[in-house]
Amino acid sequence: ELLKRANELVSQGIHPSNVNSGYKLALRSAVKYLNEHLSTPVDSLGRETLLNVARTSMSSKILNNDAELFAKIVVDAILSVKTSNDMGDIVYPRKAVGVLLLHGRSARESKLVQGFALHASRAGQGMPTAVSNAKIALVDFDLRAVKMKLGVNITITDPTKAEAIRNREIEITKERIQKMIAAGANVILTTWGIEDTMMKMMVENGVLGVRRVKKDDLRRIAKATGGTVVHTMSDLNGDDVFEPSWLGKAEQVTEERCGDGDEYIMISGTKNDICASIICRGANYFVLEEMERSLNDALWAVARTLEAGSVVPGGGAVEAALSIHLENFAHTLGSREQLAIAQFAEALLIIPKTLALNAALDATDLVAKLRVDHSESYGPNGDKEKRFTGLDLQEGTLRNNVVAGVLEPRPSKVKSLQFATEACLTILRIDDCIRLNPEEEDGGR
């Protein structure tokens, strides 16, 4: 919309550089007005605000019908991973919240658990189902019989030596596992497979082994438990060593059963307490993947709201308020930039218009009423409550969206304005285009 209106100005003889400077002025003024007059501190609104942010994020997605349940899960998950960074700022790391997808049952059986939930099970049935005071070895190499690398061949002149070579391949892996156990490991997680012979060895030593763990999960477990992902046990001398300092620590590692035959590994009481997992249940994997996308959006929205400390009303309220403000701001300028700012103000109204059209409502009528309310709220003597007026698409009327709980994180709204404007300005800066015609085929010459 910004680009279309900029193109109209250029066709009227306004130079693109004037349009650029006008759009930049409009953006600066809009962001300043948004920060000073339209944002509301989260602290003054309480926990209900965070629930409303999560509900708003889910309102157009598959979780809309169960928004109450999942909004509580999302808010509790983000609040549980509260921490501070090196600069001393309070942060809510989204990546500290894992989402585990388990096929089957109803979505309403989804739940939040404290700790790291891993979608895997024990490698062997004889292994313990629970390990207390766990010391976790995190290895990124195969625990099956060692094979020669691709392109490496062994030529045997004596056939009796073949069995000795096979035995040695197994012995190398056995020695590696023995060194992990000697270092104190009672849980071994690997991204590769585990040989049956090695499983027997683990069972005899009371070690819980898990195979084919995703590398991303392994890295997150390492961060949560304070361990190190080991890619090779070879030291500078070529000998295999396993240092006790590489082990991650947790109070308990258990295999949990969820529903009919669905197992997952639960790692709780980690060294780094900022760790939580959301276990999602769903009818099929298509539903689960859509649930994961919806939860991801909601988690980011709540985290950004907490980190920013302020929210703005949704439902087209911000765009309508900024449109009125920029129209008044444009009248204070006596240069060509006035035209660009006025067009910027008009372009912002495309958001409430599109929202109304998508809800099958009369967009022209609703946007006109919305502009009237925001005009009455503008200025030092205006009705300050009306600046939060936005669209109620279910009833087809206007309402105070802060009271109704339709909220968005302030940084998200600012970034949307900045990115849209910058994309438009980047295209406007293009003076000439060089077009390469496709090469003609030999038959067409």
Side-chain angles (χ1 to χ4, degrees):
E1 188 69 18
L2 287 172
L3 197 57
K4 183 174 80 175
R5 294 181 179 275
N7 191 44
E8 290 175 4
L9 290 174
V10 172
S11 64
Q12 293 171 15
I14 308 297
H15 196 274
S17 61
N18 295 124
V19 179
N20 274 7
S21 56
Y23 275 12
K24 286 179 180 177
L25 279 172
L27 177 65
R28 279 199 295 271
S29 179
V31 171
K32 182 180 178 182
Y33 185 80
L34 186 150
N35 290 335
E36 292 178 357
H37 297 93
L38 299 176
S39 60
T40 306
V42 174
D43 297 338
S44 65
L45 299 174
R47 175 185 168 86
E48 190 61 29
T49 304
L50 300 177
L51 292 171
N52 286 330
V53 169
R55 289 190 201 107
T56 303
S57 176
M58 298 176 194
S59 61
S60 60
K61 301 182 179 72
I62 195 171
L63 297 178
N64 184 31
N65 292 333
D66 299 315
E68 288 295 327
L69 168 66
F70 284 99
K72 291 177 182 177
I73 289 175
V74 165
V75 172
D76 290 340
I78 289 296
L79 290 175
S80 69
V81 297
K82 178 181 178 181
T83 184
S84 57
N85 59 16
D86 296 337
M87 306 295 291
D89 300 325
I90 300 297
V91 293
Y92 297 84
R94 156 65 188 91
K95 291 184 178 179
V97 180
V99 179
L100 180 64
L101 308 179
L102 292 180
H103 175 251
R105 298 297 182 93
S106 167
R108 293 177 184 174
E109 294 186 32
S110 301
K111 61 182 179 179
L112 172 70
V113 293
Q114 292 302 320
F116 190 92
L118 181 65
H119 194 187
S121 59
R122 295 171 296 160
Q125 290 301 312
M127 293 177 179
T129 56
V131 176
S132 299
N133 192 22
K135 294 182 179 178
I136 308 167
L138 308 161
V139 298
D140 186 21
F141 53 81
D142 208 345
L143 294 181
R144 290 173 291 191
V146 175
K147 301 293 182 185
M148 293 295 102
K149 299 293 183 183
L150 192 65
V152 178
N153 297 317
I154 300 176
T155 304
I156 302 174
T157 55
D158 185 357
T160 58
K161 301 288 185 183
E163 187 62 29
I165 291 173
R166 277 194 292 270
N167 290 337
R168 182 55 189 154
E169 287 174 347
I170 295 172
E171 286 298 323
I172 291 172
T173 307
K174 275 188 176 180
E175 289 171 8
R176 289 176 177 175
I177 293 176
Q178 193 60 54
K179 285 177 181 176
M180 293 180 204
I181 296 170
N186 50 18
V187 177
I188 298 176
L189 307 182
T190 178
T191 55
W192 293 72
I194 301 177
E195 187 97 18
D196 290 343
T197 313
M198 313 309 159
M199 287 186 204
K200 181 174 179 292
M201 184 179 177
M202 290 182 185
V203 169
E204 290 171 352
N205 288 275
V207 174
L208 172 60
V210 182
R211 57 187 168 183
R212 297 185 181 89
V213 179
K214 292 181 181 177
K215 289 189 179 183
D216 287 343
D217 289 341
L218 202 69
R219 281 192 285 267
R220 289 183 58 205
I221 293 170
K223 190 173 182 180
T225 60
T228 303
V229 177
V230 181
H231 300 283
T232 177
M233 290 175 61
S234 299
D235 61 6
L236 295 174
N237 297 321
D239 299 326
D240 284 347
V241 293
F242 196 91
E243 298 290 340
S245 59
W246 295 346
L247 296 171
K249 295 179 177 61
E251 289 180 7
Q252 197 167 40
V253 176
T254 57
E255 184 185 65
E256 304 281 348
R257 185 176 291 273
C258 189
D260 303 326
D262 282 326
E263 294 101 4
Y264 63 92
I265 300 295
M266 189 68 214
I267 302 172
S268 53
T270 55
K271 180 181 178 182
N272 187 354
D273 290 334
I274 54 166
C275 187
S277 298
I278 299 173
I279 299 175
C280 292
R281 306 308 305 270
N284 54 56
Y285 287 111
F286 296 108
V287 172
L288 286 170
E289 287 173 1
E290 193 60 37
M291 286 172 65
E292 183 181 23
R293 281 190 285 271
S294 301
L295 283 172
N296 186 50
D297 290 345
L299 287 166
W300 275 116
V302 173
R304 287 285 177 264
T305 301
L306 285 165
E307 289 175 0
S310 58
V311 292
V312 294
V318 169
E319 288 79 11
L322 292 180
S323 177
I324 297 296
H325 165 68
L326 290 176
E327 280 183 3
N328 287 279
F329 175 62
H331 295 154
T332 64
L333 299 176
S335 60
R336 293 187 176 191
E337 281 78 8
Q338 181 195 92
L339 298 173
I341 293 172
Q343 293 292 345
F344 193 103
E346 284 292 322
L348 288 172
L349 293 176
I350 195 66
I351 299 297
K353 283 178 183 176
T354 304
L355 288 172
L357 285 172
N358 288 346
L361 299 171
D362 187 346
T364 306
D365 184 50
L366 276 176
V367 171
K369 291 178 181 176
L370 189 62
R371 283 171 57 80
V372 169
D373 270 25
H374 283 284
S375 295
E376 292 174 359
S377 73
Y378 189 75
N381 300 320
D383 185 352
K384 297 303 179 187
E385 287 302 314
K386 288 190 175 181
R387 62 187 169 165
F388 299 132
T389 301
L391 301 176
D392 180 356
L393 299 177
Q394 290 182 332
E395 301 295 332
T397 57
L398 305 181
R399 66 180 176 189
N400 185 323
N401 274 344
V402 171
V403 175
V406 181
L407 303 165
E408 297 180 65
R410 180 183 58 81
S412 298
K413 187 62 72 175
V414 172
K415 287 283 189 292
S416 298
L417 289 169
Q418 290 173 338
F419 291 160
T421 307
E422 189 58 40
C424 177
L425 298 183
T426 302
I427 296 172
L428 278 176
R429 290 191 190 103
I430 298 172
D431 294 323
D432 296 299
C433 293
I434 300 173
R435 182 176 177 181
L436 296 176
N437 292 323
E439 295 182 6
E440 295 182 1
E441 296 182 3
D442 294 339
R445 290 182 179 176

